[in-house]
Amino acid sequence: MELDYSFLKGIGMKGGQIHMLIRKRNELLQLQNAQQAKHSSSKRSDGADVQTDPVRPRNAPAQKTSGGDSCGPADKPSRDNTPTSGKRHRRSSNSQLKSTDEVLELSNCRPFRSQNTDFKYVKNRVLAPESGVSGLITPCHEYKSFATAAELNRNQLQSKFACEVIRFASACMNIRTNGTIHFGIMDSVEDRGWKHGQIIGIKVKEREYYVDALDYIEKCFCESVQEIARKCIHPPVFVEVISKDSQEQRFVVEVDIEPTSSLVKNRIFEVYLPKYNEGSQKVTLTKDRALYQRVGAKSEPIKHNNLATFFQGLQDRDAQREKAELSSAELHTEISQNLGRKLSILLNDGKSYMDYSLRYILVTNRCEKNDLKYINFLMHLNIFCVFDFDEDSNVSGLYSKYKEHHATRSYFLQDFSNESKTGNPSSQKHLCLFDQTSWIFCNGRSDFLGDEKPCDENTWIRMKKKYLKKAITRICDEILPKRSFIVLFLLLSPVQKPLVDTFQEFYTEMNGTEYIVCIAESRENYGKWANLAQASCSIETLEQCSIVGMKLSHVDTTIQRMLPSTAQPRHLPVSTRGLCTLPSLEEEKLFSLEILCIDQCDDIKLDLLTEKEIQEVEQNFYRGRKIIWENFWLADKRRCGEIIEREACTDASKLLDDILRGSGLNYSVAKLKIFHHPGSGGSTIARQVLWKRRKDLRCAVIKTSYSPATVCEHALAFRDYEEKEISHCLPVLLLIEDYDEDYLEELRNELMDAVATRKINSPRPYFILMCCRRSNDPERLCKASPLDTVAVTHKLTDSEKSLFRTKLEKLKQKDVKPEFILTFVLMCEEFNETYVRDFVGHILQDIDRSSRDTCLMRYVALLNFYVPNSYVSLSHCEAFLGLGVYTEMKSRAYDFKSHLSEQARMIFIELRESTTYISSVRIIHCLVAKEILHQLSGNEPQSQLAMTLLQEKTLFENRFGREEFIKFIRDLFIRRDKRSRGDNTDTLFSPFIEHVCKAEDCEKAIAVLKAAYELLGRDPFFAQQLARLHYNNEKFEDAEHWAGVAKSHLPNDSYILDTEGQVYRKWFSFTVDKMTQEDTPESIIQKIKIALKAMKCFRAAQQAAKAERDSMNNAGYFGEVEVGCRLLRFLSTVDVFRRSPEGEYSELVKYLITDYIPKDIEKTWGRLHSRLKGLRQNLYNALEWISEDLSYFQTDKNHEKEEEDEKDEKEEQIYNPRKWLKRQSEVYAKFFISTSLIEDSNSGPESQLIRRMNIYKSGGGSVTNILSFLTDKKENRSAEKLEKILGFYTENPLRDRLEDNDLINYILCHITLACLAPGSAKLLPAQTLRELSVRFFKGKRPFPASAHFLLTLLYWPDEALDKEPNPDKDEILISALQTLKRLYDIKMKDVPTRKKRIYTHFFLGKGYGLGKIVHKTKIDKLISGSLDERRMKWLHGTVWNIARIRDILKRVSGWTKDRNLFIRGHMKEFPILPLHRDSVPPGNENVTFYLGFSFNGLVAFNIKVETNPTVSRPQGI
């Protein structure tokens, strides 16, 4: 089976490991092929297969010693010289033994005579083959496995060791060559489990065994040369063998032989060899002395007949030795490396300046005090995070210096793992990772008061290494994409193992050292680090990525010269028209703002930018990338063409000037809105405004990834920075783009509240929020709010067309092809659909439809067309195209585009996030995406394309940027269009699902949604969509199933429970409307059961909604009413409840509200009776709740909807809920009215109920229904209806006690009638109504909010009724207002502020009694213009300039204190809610205002500081 990426990934291997394995496999195959070609004609004499050995020459002998030179019984055959026997090897070939077919990495020998304890060998690497004499000074090498001998007892071990050393030493000394004998290195390849020269190492029980073994020198050498031999044979050196896979300690024991000419001249060295006698268990010496010499790679005895020749050459060898020593002693001037150039290549590929888009991860250890002077270059690098192994760094090390220049956040290793003890969130957005340098203390902090203390190496490996691994994996796999960062190892002090572990983890995660750089001034520090790190990477590779021996001060200066910008300070404008400096430290503290300075970009070294780079910056903008500050800067410097200024930019600037002049209302936080078609330049216009105003306003762009509270805090600090008087600061212009409406409103309120606490009044706003957002219908949104909104469309004015044509010609003159500035070309054509279609068709003409990048293009087009602002991360694209670990990156100058087809390069635009520099890809425009989707699909339906996309495991399993990708996939299937978000329409399903249903069929939509449900972890909201899709296509059994699935995941979600209710509601309606056959008793029961199921689900949704703090979902109440009323209509058609001749449903009413059960259904309906008899109360409760709910909010969402053609019930419920409620109330009442029942029960409870139903039928019965009479254009008709309703009530309510709800409605009917017909004979005096309503104050039981609302209306001071101050009336008011506030807070929960806007029903007028109460509709009728124009007049306060309105309303007096507003009632003071918080003047002022009454208490409108203090002010009026 061939090993490939998918298989290895499937068995759990990581990307880096797979990369290394496949690379090694490929190297092996290449080597084998080359060797087979080279040696194809060469055969062994015995006909066996040729054994390939890339390290050792094939003809090298397998055995070095002849039988006669055996060192005794300790010698074993070669196979026994291995750690395991050949038999064991065959049994466990997959264990530690290395196959001879595997190519092992070469390793260097320890330098001759080196005592460097930091030098290490790496297990299973190979040394160069054993060598013979080479220049005498260069040592020859001999290897001994010694594996078996190392396990022997002391005598045996020492005799064997001494035997090998003395024989080798004799041979070297006789030939006069240096040499090293190595124990623990494989010396034989007879056992094919090993390679010649393979580093194995041996266990060393006691080092002195080996040292003492050399005492045999005195026994084996002639007495005359014993001292010389001692000096030539150096003591054993123990070199540690390291391994990533094993903690077992092994060594290679080496003995150096150095026969210097002064010692060995004219001497020969005959030796005995010690041998261990197994019989006597003693060591004996060989009988005769022998002379040894080096012959090739062997130490062999000199034969007797060759002795004469040997002696004759002695003087010649001495002379050669002496000459060799003199030659080696000469001083060779070392040619120093060009480390400056090497540093430039490592950091920025040899360019003259560094790439600011690259981030740096710094890994370092203790920085001495002297070195702190030379680390200034670090202050200018874009450092993402630091792995600091210096526990004193915060006190006296690098961190103490760095934080003087930059804002940082300090962490410990576990903060970056999922097992964080501190509970820090893992998301990089919350950790501010991209905005402030993260300083990770890897081995505790000495000054930290918590339990993170430093520990020794072994404890660190045991306790903290796992966190290091997780932190590095998280950074490399989830936060920073590959090729976007460099890991910089800065070795400033002696190295310890944890620092090496860090290298090994990065090496594995990053698939090599391409983006790893090491800087070490000390060769010693580097040597120890490199020797330990070679377990993962060869010394040679490490040297290629390391700068060693360069003084830190030189590194500092060299890197600073490579910076693309100068280190000059940035400046902001101040209120005195001067400037102030903004250091990096202060700027980084305001990390939620992208600050635009006066001298923005002036620090860029313009002379370093080539014309090509400048042209690329310009072309990127015209291709469709968002404009950057460098575009404006280069245009101002006349290094590129001017940027077109559309007329909308002038409009926005004029609106900004109006705001700054204080035109209109004096808001502390003003809004300037820019709505724009995608690709029309709205974002460019917003930034043009910022760029032009940066010298006279403080300007910044808001990063919406941070909370409104954080942005508010930073915005205030930004405004106040370096200002002496905070009351005279410059306004702050804040750009917020593609925002959520709730976010914007929350931010605005945070800013207004913060300003309010400062008690400062300024003629200009503190903050101006320039809100820039995409919209498919910007002109509609502009018309809705013309005084503060600019619309930017694809449509160009004549002057703009001329500017665009001229610009296009200039770009063409620069040899810019139109295909590569496609967005600009399309804008010149106003995104004409035909032009877009033809242009895209031309580009796609010869495209390879089967290629991988064409497939990617289709996927991206699918997302871009249906999901606004969607993109696909570059990491996902690379994984999909197979460019990740499959590609060997030879250079950092890796260009994703080079791997794309020409068509894809034109269509795709690579975006780079401004703060993270993370790249992503999208189609240049959504209209282009639409055309690509259409033209590349051919006959393939879009549902099939989506299904194929869902099966792309590479995209869904790619960890980097996964959250965003999954979000876009979810939006593709779930996100509905909403007009409130700027979409053209409101859709029932996502536009993609609606397209599939329309262009294909609902079965395809269901299939693709099911696939998405399974793929995305069985998401309950996908199950909910499936339920909705099924019931909309009348597949009710399936809809019931999917609603149940969604509910099983989220049993307490009100929206899912509502969907379940809608399934049964639609099912019930279908069975009633669509069934053609005549109803049978069974089918009637089935229909009733479905309806009752629906109502039960809706009631469950109601209960769930109450528990949800962050939403206000009232759909359960509306659903219950709709099903209940429909059920009543259905019951009225059942034979047993036929309508009476008088047209009444007396039999049905009698059944529903009494104990009566018709005999025909007594048994068959069984358990349904009790549930149906509860129907009236359930409906009543739901209608009352809806009425109360609508009382809080504006219920006339769109009067103009009433004038349109008939809308369905859902439209009416959304756009005119008041009308919907009135209609449903009438239906509800219709089936509970029976004259005969009244006659039967006289004045019993049934009679009271039916009277109440008559009130409902007449349009009363609830607060909202009664108030809706005030919106009727025919006031006389409404007045007559109200008089009729009052006629249903008792004539003497003071005597005949009404129920609480009836009393509320009764009093409200009088107030409403007084507004419509003040002279009506039915009206009771205001004093009587006060007496009736006092029950709401004195009663011990809870009353609804409407009861307390009536108390505020009736008991507000009245000049006619309250001639004498009465504190008891204040108590009633205080109680009512406090209760209203409490009930309001309960109702509003934690929903966004903009959804808490309440409706002011009444205003205080100039009359008396009931005549002083003026409803808002009366004021609306005095305002001219359309609904939107009337709204704008309310919003901007211009309604109060209308004389007729001022004539009917009464201005009351109050005062302010600490930005709070108060008014006096009868005797006591009351806090008042201002309509706009920032309309309250600062300090303590007397003010006047208009008073409104709402369900949240009293509201002040049009607050003005009193300018005529001589006017007497009666209390409370």
Side-chain angles (χ1 to χ4, degrees), residues 765-816:
Y766 275 58
F767 300 99
I768 303 153
L769 292 172
M770 184 158 57
C771 316
C772 181
R773 197 172 78 177
R774 291 184 179 192
S775 169
N776 291 319
D777 195 358
E779 289 165 313
R780 174 178 63 84
L781 295 171
C782 184
K783 287 176 184 176
S785 181
L787 299 180
D788 62 358
T789 308
V790 175
V792 188
T793 67
H794 291 146
K795 195 75 178 170
L796 301 176
T797 64
D798 291 338
S799 61
E800 286 175 338
K801 287 178 183 176
S802 174
L803 289 171
F804 273 80
R805 278 196 298 268
T806 304
K807 184 67 182 180
L808 184 58
E809 287 304 315
K810 287 182 179 178
L811 289 170
K812 287 180 180 177
Q813 288 169 13
K814 293 183 180 180
D815 295 328
V816 179

Side-chain angles (χ1 to χ4, degrees), residues 1137-1316:
F1137 301 128
R1138 289 280 180 201
R1139 189 189 298 195
S1140 67
E1142 293 81 17
E1144 294 183 347
Y1145 300 97
S1146 51
E1147 192 74 5
L1148 176 60
V1149 174
K1150 186 177 178 182
Y1151 170 70
L1152 290 173
I1153 66 175
T1154 68
D1155 294 333
Y1156 165 72
I1157 299 175
K1159 287 187 178 180
D1160 292 351
I1161 59 172
E1162 185 174 7
K1163 289 185 179 179
T1164 54
W1165 286 23
R1167 295 180 182 178
L1168 297 179
H1169 297 305
S1170 59
R1171 296 172 69 185
L1172 288 172
K1173 289 179 182 294
L1175 181 62
R1176 185 204 63 81
Q1177 189 62 44
N1178 287 335
L1179 279 175
Y1180 176 76
N1181 292 341
L1183 287 167
E1184 278 298 303
W1185 191 95
I1186 293 169
S1187 171
E1188 193 85 2
D1189 186 63
L1190 296 178
S1191 302
Y1192 279 90
F1193 306 103
Q1194 183 173 340
T1195 54
D1196 53 344
K1197 282 192 177 180
N1198 201 336
H1199 284 301
E1200 292 166 5
K1201 282 277 176 184
E1202 298 177 29
E1203 298 165 10
E1204 295 179 9
D1205 294 336
E1206 195 175 312
K1207 297 284 178 182
D1208 64 22
E1209 289 182 15
K1210 200 70 180 174
E1211 285 279 296
E1212 185 180 66
Q1213 176 188 321
I1214 294 170
Y1215 290 105
N1216 203 329
R1218 185 186 60 249
K1219 183 178 178 183
W1220 176 92
L1221 178 65
K1222 197 169 185 178
R1223 188 172 56 79
Q1224 295 290 6
S1225 298
E1226 289 171 1
V1227 172
Y1228 162 68
K1230 174 182 176 183
F1231 294 102
F1232 292 100
I1233 295 173
S1234 171
T1235 308
S1236 59
L1237 200 62
I1238 293 176
E1239 293 169 354
D1240 292 345
S1241 61
N1242 293 324
S1243 60
E1246 292 85 359
S1247 175
Q1248 293 291 336
L1249 172 65
I1250 291 172
R1251 286 194 184 94
R1252 189 178 293 152
M1253 292 301 104
N1254 276 310
I1255 293 170
Y1256 259 114
K1257 189 178 179 183
S1258 301
S1262 69
V1263 171
T1264 300
N1265 282 350
I1266 295 166
L1267 290 175
S1268 67
F1269 283 114
L1270 292 165
T1271 61
D1272 193 337
K1273 293 178 180 177
K1274 297 179 180 178
E1275 293 185 359
N1276 292 336
R1277 182 177 65 184
S1278 293
E1280 289 172 4
K1281 287 183 179 179
L1282 280 166
E1283 289 177 338
K1284 179 183 177 183
I1285 289 169
L1286 286 172
F1288 287 112
Y1289 290 99
T1290 177
E1291 293 181 1
N1292 190 344
L1294 289 171
R1295 182 194 64 201
D1296 301 328
R1297 185 179 177 87
L1298 293 171
E1299 290 188 14
D1300 293 339
N1301 279 352
D1302 289 340
L1303 181 59
I1304 291 169
N1305 295 334
Y1306 180 73
I1307 294 173
L1308 192 59
C1309 281
H1310 280 83
I1311 293 172
T1312 307
L1313 182 57
C1315 291
L1316 294 170

Side-chain angles (χ1 to χ4, degrees), residues 437-454:
T437 300
S438 301
W439 207 279
I440 307 166
F441 286 90
C442 298
N443 190 21
R445 246 177 72 182
S446 60
D447 64 315
F448 189 61
L449 298 177
D451 59 357
E452 286 294 329
K453 297 302 178 187

Side-chain angles (χ1 to χ4, degrees), residues 759-760 1456-1460 1480-1485:
K759 309 173 187 176
I760 298 170
T1456 64
K1457 185 179 179 181
D1458 294 338
R1459 281 276 186 172
N1460 291 311
V1480 179
N1484 303 325
E1485 298 284 356

Side-chain angles (χ1 to χ4, degrees), residues 663-667 671 673 784-789 1429-1441 1476 1502:
S663 303
L665 278 183
N666 181 21
Y667 290 149
K671 280 199 294 188
K673 292 172 282 188
S785 181
L787 299 180
D788 62 358
T789 308
E1429 289 170 342
R1430 295 199 300 271
R1431 283 179 177 169
M1432 290 309 299
K1433 288 177 181 177
W1434 276 107
L1435 181 62
H1436 292 286
T1438 54
V1439 290
W1440 313 116
N1441 298 332
H1476 300 292
N1502 194 225

Side-chain angles (χ1 to χ4, degrees), residues 94 100 183 188 423 484 634 791 856 955 1074 1127 1223 1294 1432 1463:
N94 292 326
T100 53
F183 297 88
S188 170
S484 72
L634 289 169
L856 177 65
L955 292 174
K1074 303 289 177 70
L1127 178 58
R1223 188 172 56 79
L1294 289 171
M1432 290 309 299
I1463 190 173

